[in-house]
Amino acid sequence: MTFYKEAKALVKANIRDYGMYIALIVIMLTFTFMTDGLFMSSRNISNLLDSAGYIAVLAVGMTLVIVIRHIDLSVGFLAGFLGAIAAIFLTQLGYSVWITIPIILILGVLIGLFNGALIAKLGIPAFVATLAGMLIFRGALLKVTEKTGTIIIKDGQFNAIGNGFIPSIMQINGLHLLTLLVGLGGILLYIYNDISNRRNKLKYGFDVISKEIFSLKLVLISAIIAYITWILAGYNGFSWTVIIMIIVVIIYHFFTSKTVLGRHIYAVGSNPEAAHLSGINVQKITYIVFGSMGMLAALSGILFTSRLQSATTTAGTLFELDAIAAAYVGGVSSAGGVGKVTGAIIGAIVMASLSNGMNLLGVGISYQYIIRGAVLAGAVIFDVMTRKQRA
């Protein structure tokens, strides 16, 4: 097979995965051209990634929830409520950030497990159970913030999570050295991981792409990582929000692709009845996925509250819909069983890029909602069409 034919066949077979990357590149190039390069400036890209962070974290958890054929509508106001609880711990109770954050994360896990129990044990539809949770946490958020309306946080360490950047060792021609080193480390880790995976597949007799296509893939992905790193290094470097987002992706990517539990999650999503008959504990998987979703909602609440440096009565509004949109744009299937956490991050960045670019162009908020809705509808239509073609 020639290089061109193999590349064409590879793109066609993996159009669901590659489609979102192509869409992101097209969006970025379009806005870069329309804003005379302002969109791709170091400051704007840094702000874009920071603004996408708390939704991206939610989208990772939402992807797994949708993979097992459920939905969680409570995560938005759960994030807002737990962010307010964190603010209360820091300001009114005087707890340190090192005590507050673990407590908030544990609370998120417990609430997620409770949602899982309602769905897996009592058989309540996820839509209904989490809709009830959304209303409960909306009321709880209003209750804990009713005295002051806004809880101002003055803890420097906590606020640095959403606004701070990794320290700079030194500057090289105006570039943030530590960011360059982190980016280099990311490239080397990516190359090592892909080469290792290829060797393992060859070892066990699996089909792999040709060396030429594989080498081209390594070069392209490494170049993208290097370019983003270079852009961010020109401002203040990697923010702590981006670092947290990367850590979440690495952990969940390993968890879903390299562990037995991860394979069980996709098996349950593909066919719950068959998974149950094969010995997989479907209830346990549901507990784990919703417990994970609760923890990530808590982390999202921490990121958002830290970014604002305060807890507000409106925190969490529409977060769940943005997370669902990011998951679908990122390639998760409405039929369950298909979806990657890396795709969820790309989906969140796509949606954030749309909002950011339209804001730079001065597009009215009414048109922004229409365009974002059209993009979501397009992603779902794309999913349905690709499933029909495969069928």
Side-chain angles (χ1 to χ4, degrees), residues 200-215:
N200 287 335
K201 287 180 179 179
L202 289 172
K203 180 180 178 181
Y204 293 104
F206 290 103
D207 290 333
V208 296
I209 58 178
S210 66
K211 287 184 178 180
E212 292 78 8
I213 295 289
F214 179 72
S215 299

Side-chain angles (χ1 to χ4, degrees), residues 66-290:
I66 297 174
V67 162
I68 64 169
R69 305 187 180 189
H70 290 301
I71 201 72
D72 194 339
L73 300 177
S74 68
V75 295
F77 285 120
L78 174 58
F81 169 67
L82 290 177
I85 295 298
I88 290 171
F89 276 22
L90 291 166
T91 59
Q92 299 176 18
L93 301 181
Y95 287 12
S96 74
V97 66
W98 304 107
I99 296 176
T100 297
I101 290 178
I103 291 175
I104 298 302
L105 294 177
I106 291 170
L107 282 175
V109 172
L110 294 176
I111 293 170
L113 290 174
F114 179 74
N115 282 338
L118 292 177
I119 297 160
K121 199 74 175 177
L122 300 182
I124 300 174
F127 182 91
V128 177
T130 59
L131 178 60
M134 181 177 73
L135 297 173
I136 290 170
F137 296 124
R138 172 60 169 152
L141 173 60
L142 292 173
K143 183 64 179 177
V144 298
T145 57
E146 66 180 357
K147 291 183 179 180
T148 59
T150 299
I151 304 173
I152 305 297
I153 302 172
K154 297 181 179 179
D155 188 297
Q157 288 182 313
F158 182 82
N159 291 337
I161 296 173
N163 299 282
F165 298 84
I166 62 175
S168 175
I169 299 175
M170 60 181 292
Q171 297 281 331
I172 299 180
N173 295 326
L175 298 176
H176 196 276
L177 177 59
L178 185 55
T179 293
L180 295 176
L181 293 176
V182 170
L184 177 61
I187 291 171
L188 295 177
L189 181 63
Y190 163 73
I191 293 174
Y192 171 79
N193 184 64
D194 257 31
I195 292 176
S196 178
N197 286 341
R198 179 182 169 83
R199 285 177 178 172
N200 287 335
K201 287 180 179 179
L202 289 172
K203 180 180 178 181
Y204 293 104
F206 290 103
D207 290 333
V208 296
I209 58 178
S210 66
K211 287 184 178 180
E212 292 78 8
I213 295 289
F214 179 72
S215 299
L216 178 62
K217 177 189 171 186
L218 290 182
V219 171
L220 287 176
I221 300 297
S222 298
I224 291 171
I225 296 173
Y227 182 60
I228 293 173
T229 300
W230 178 74
I231 288 176
L232 293 177
Y235 183 48
N236 287 322
F238 283 116
S239 67
W240 287 115
T241 296
V242 172
I243 294 296
I244 291 170
M245 189 166 60
I246 292 171
I247 291 172
V248 168
V249 173
I250 291 173
I251 292 173
Y252 273 81
H253 177 67
F254 176 83
F255 164 67
T256 54
S257 63
K258 303 293 185 181
T259 67
V260 173
L261 184 57
R263 288 192 287 272
H264 284 180
I265 289 173
Y266 285 94
V268 169
S270 298
N271 193 323
E273 292 78 16
H276 175 71
L277 292 174
S278 65
I280 297 174
N281 190 330
V282 177
Q283 284 192 358
K284 177 184 174 183
I285 296 298
T286 305
Y287 281 128
I288 291 172
V289 169
F290 275 90

